[in-house]
Amino acid sequence: MPAGTLYRGREGMWSWVAHRVTGVLIFFFLFVHVLDTSLVRVSPEAYDDVVATYKTPLVALMEYGLVAAILFHALNGLRVVAVDFWSKGTKYQRHMLWTVMAIWIVLMAGALYPVLGHAASEVFGS
């Protein structure tokens, strides 16, 4: 490790980075969601056009990414709470991270068909 490196490059640093990145992504999704929902009051036709673009396979893939970001942010947030408020949290923080990752992988596998099923049938035919 080079001298002067602020972060150690271990799992804790990458979970910290991923937590912030997923938080920013979720914020931008909520911002866009509020904007497109507000179109209903301004122009229902424009709202219908925007919603029609959401039914494309590319947007379905982005929805899967959104699910991934929300699940990771939520699960890692629970780990951060445990590290902060449990007296043995720092001792087991690495184990909790790998537990979070295992749960995240299982949940993402379960979300694969419900989120991407219609897009796969559109692309590959049913």
Side-chain angles (χ1 to χ4, degrees):
M1 177 180 329
T5 300
L6 180 61
Y7 301 108
R8 296 183 181 163
R10 305 260 341 204
E11 300 94 342
M13 181 192 90
W14 292 112
S15 71
W16 182 88
V17 169
H19 197 79
R20 269 75 186 160
V21 168
T22 56
V24 169
L25 290 174
I26 293 166
F27 171 77
F28 281 115
F29 163 76
L30 290 174
F31 181 72
V32 170
H33 180 66
V34 168
L35 284 179
D36 68 14
T37 303
S38 66
L39 279 176
V40 165
R41 303 286 281 165
V42 176
S43 172
E45 296 83 19
Y47 175 78
D48 290 341
D49 292 341
V50 169
V51 169
T53 63
Y54 291 165
K55 297 176 181 172
T56 63
L58 178 63
V59 175
L61 193 61
M62 292 169 63
E63 286 175 345
Y64 192 68
L66 177 65
V67 170
I70 290 171
L71 282 176
F72 178 80
H73 196 81
L75 294 171
N76 194 50
L78 293 175
R79 184 187 72 89
V80 169
V81 168
V83 169
D84 286 347
F85 293 106
W86 183 33
S87 62
K88 296 179 181 177
T90 54
K91 180 179 178 183
Y92 295 111
Q93 66 92 15
R94 190 173 301 158
H95 295 94
M96 289 189 291
L97 175 63
W98 291 115
T99 302
V100 162
M101 293 307 297
I103 294 170
W104 180 78
I105 289 170
V106 168
L107 292 175
M108 288 307 296
L112 192 62
Y113 182 75
V115 177
L116 291 177
H118 71 279
S121 66
E122 186 176 317
V123 171
F124 301 113
S126 52

